[in-house]
Amino acid sequence: GLIGGQSRLGAVATESPEPRLHEVADDSAEREAVRKELHRLVHEEKLRPDQIVILGHHRFEHSAFAAHPQLGNLTVVDSVDAAGPNEIRYSTIHRFKGLEADCVMVTGSDKGGWAKTDEERLALMYVAATRALSMLCVFYRPDSAVRRWMGKV
């Protein structure tokens, strides 16, 4: 990870990456916010698509990306393995447990999936957040518990 070392992106850090929080109203707004963030990451930050993963609380077919996986010139694909040159991996948080990516984008945080209590949601968000080596982006609804969770990290 980043503790006391240098990330693969070159930024020196002594603790976990500071998350970028994006409040979104619904699935459509979430897709658009993810598209804009991906554009910024790939074109301005110069990250390769294979350095980025989108983690969700639900399987791909129940995500905001299933019906419309195309985000600009990138395509969201259901995979934990390396994707093609213009593909962004999507995985559930559970399926990605034990793996890492330079940039992790957490989506669907208002939909806890199997997590029914705040404690279960907190544990799930912890797992998602600790998958990020250098950058963490969290997309959440105004009424979600994400702000409370961020105060506990």
Side-chain angles (χ1 to χ4, degrees), residues 4-152:
Q6 191 165 346
S7 77
R8 285 188 251 167
L9 298 178
V12 175
T14 56
E15 49 189 62
S16 298
E18 185 69 31
R20 293 181 183 185
L21 301 177
H22 300 271
E23 186 175 297
V24 295
D26 54 28
D27 283 354
S28 177
E30 182 172 72
R31 283 185 74 260
E32 180 60 16
V34 168
R35 184 197 65 75
K36 286 179 180 178
E37 186 68 15
L38 284 171
H39 179 83
R40 189 188 66 71
L41 291 168
V42 171
H43 296 288
E44 295 173 24
E45 303 268 342
K46 304 299 183 198
L47 284 174
R48 296 183 322 270
D50 68 335
Q51 293 176 286
I52 304 167
V53 66
I54 298 172
L55 296 183
H57 290 74
H58 297 283
R59 292 185 303 193
F60 182 76
E61 59 266 23
H62 300 294
S63 75
F65 309 101
H68 305 286
Q70 194 71 30
L71 298 175
N73 65 339
L74 300 169
T75 304
V76 180
V77 295
D78 184 14
S79 176
V80 295
D81 299 319
N86 288 321
E87 294 178 337
I88 300 293
R89 297 172 291 161
Y90 177 94
S91 175
T92 63
I93 296 167
H94 285 289
R95 194 169 73 174
F96 208 72
K97 193 172 182 180
L99 302 174
E100 295 176 323
D102 291 302
C103 177
V104 170
M105 304 175 92
V106 182
T107 63
S109 58
D110 67 313
K111 307 169 188 175
W114 62 267
K116 302 300 179 210
T117 67
D118 277 351
E119 186 175 308
E120 289 170 335
R121 287 184 194 96
L122 178 62
L124 198 57
M125 286 300 293
Y126 175 81
V127 169
T130 57
R131 305 303 91 210
L133 293 173
S134 302
M135 191 175 304
L136 174 64
C137 303
V138 179
F139 299 83
Y140 67 96
R141 304 302 194 275
D143 57 345
S144 73
V146 171
R147 285 219 184 259
R148 287 193 318 272
W149 172 77
M150 294 308 297
K152 295 178 182 180

